Amino acid sequence: MSFIVIIPARLASTRLPNKPLADLGGKPMVVRVAEQAALSGASRIIVATDHEDIRAACAAHGVEVCMTRADHPSGTDRIAEVARTLDLADDAVVVNLQGDEPLIDPSLLAACAAQIGVHVPMATCAHPLHDAADAFNPNVVKVVLDKAGRALYFSRATIPWHRDGFAQAKDSLPAGYAPLRHIGLYAYSNAFLQAYPGLSVSPLESIEALEQLRVLWHGYAIAVHVTDSAPAAGVDTPEDLARVQAHYHHAT
């Protein structure tokens, strides 16, 4: 499976200003993310940004970068612009890797990309949950699948709801029940990626604040690669940054 990785990166972050340029063992975070993506077997890795400081940081470390408009409503729209400039074939596969995932497992990118097919224009990943606190946490997004491994629904709610088990107790998960947590990594066919910005916002998406529900609402299939364990957490807070910086400190 041939695929390219596009990494959307913006400086705007309410919780962690200038996050893509945060120092991780002597290199900016966005460069570390690109280096990790390069281990996935991708044919090309491109950082998509609207900020000159990110462009300069990437250029200084030999990372390909593409400047985009500043007014994109989402990272998906941003990478769609980049894919258009590359003049990719309709069946080319593009992986959307967030710029705050420096410890992502590279094999996960390849596994996600491999899900794309003629009738499956989009793919993502998930892993089983074993902690009741995660299952009931609305910030932990859950997904349920059909028998072919395609998403039926994504929700902040606890799905599927274990009727009998949760009638007994909600402080632990019933035996044999492991809801799937969604991992925010995506792959698309280029044809779908170009169609995506034209899809109207769906009511479900607005209610749950989950962009991927727009895709299901409009009738497109999303394949889900299920991995056994949770990937390394991304960087959203100063505490996350300190944890990842410690990882690079110990690795050098």
Side-chain angles (χ1 to χ4, degrees):
M1 167 63 71
S2 175
F3 64 96
I4 72 168
V5 176
I6 302 180
I7 303 166
R10 300 178 64 237
L11 282 188
S13 172
T14 53
R15 287 185 287 186
L16 203 58
N18 298 332
K19 181 167 64 170
L21 300 179
D23 182 84
L24 297 181
K27 294 181 181 179
M29 184 187 306
V30 67
V31 171
R32 290 294 191 185
V33 174
E35 290 177 343
Q36 198 75 348
L39 302 175
S40 69
S43 60
R44 194 172 181 182
I45 294 95
I46 303 168
V47 171
T49 188
D50 59 5
H51 202 284
E52 171 59 27
D53 288 354
I54 294 177
R55 188 208 65 77
C58 290
H61 290 88
V63 174
E64 184 176 1
V65 65
C66 181
M67 298 298 287
T68 67
R69 300 193 337 248
D71 60 348
H72 286 300
S74 74
T76 312
D77 295 276
R78 189 175 305 279
I79 71 167
E81 179 189 346
V82 174
R84 275 196 303 279
T85 68
L86 299 177
D87 197 25
L88 300 176
D90 281 353
D91 62 353
V93 177
V94 177
V95 172
N96 177 358
L97 174 61
Q98 297 306 305
D100 57 6
E101 298 279 356
L103 301 181
I104 191 78
D105 179 354
S107 67
L108 207 55
L109 278 64
C112 189
Q115 302 294 315
I116 301 299
V118 175
H119 302 295
V120 184
M122 181 171 166
T124 189
C125 301
H127 72 86
L129 286 173
H130 303 289
D131 187 332
D134 287 335
F136 288 102
N137 183 349
N139 294 318
V140 175
V141 177
K142 276 70 69 173
V143 59
V144 291
L145 311 182
D146 68 11
K147 68 177 183 178
R150 298 175 185 177
L152 289 169
Y153 191 63
F154 296 85
S155 182
R156 298 181 182 279
T158 309
I159 55 172
W161 181 262
H162 200 298
R163 187 196 67 171
D164 295 341
F166 291 148
Q168 302 298 319
K170 296 192 181 78
D171 56 353
S172 62
L173 297 182
Y177 168 79
L180 292 175
R181 178 194 181 196
H182 176 233
I183 300 169
L185 175 70
Y186 298 100
Y188 321 86
S189 71
N190 182 48
F192 176 74
L193 185 56
Q194 299 310 319
Y196 175 86
L199 299 179
S200 60
V201 175
S202 75
L204 293 175
E205 171 190 5
S206 299
I207 292 168
E208 294 250 24
L210 296 175
E211 187 182 318
Q212 61 271 37
L213 289 175
R214 183 184 314 181
V215 178
L216 296 182
W217 172 264
H218 285 280
Y220 293 94
I222 302 177
V224 181
H225 168 75
V226 178
T227 185
D228 291 337
S229 56
V235 178
D236 288 320
T237 66
E239 293 76 19
D240 292 336
L241 180 58
R243 171 180 49 80
V244 175
Q245 285 174 328
H247 168 88
Y248 281 96
H249 176 74
H250 294 309
T252 54

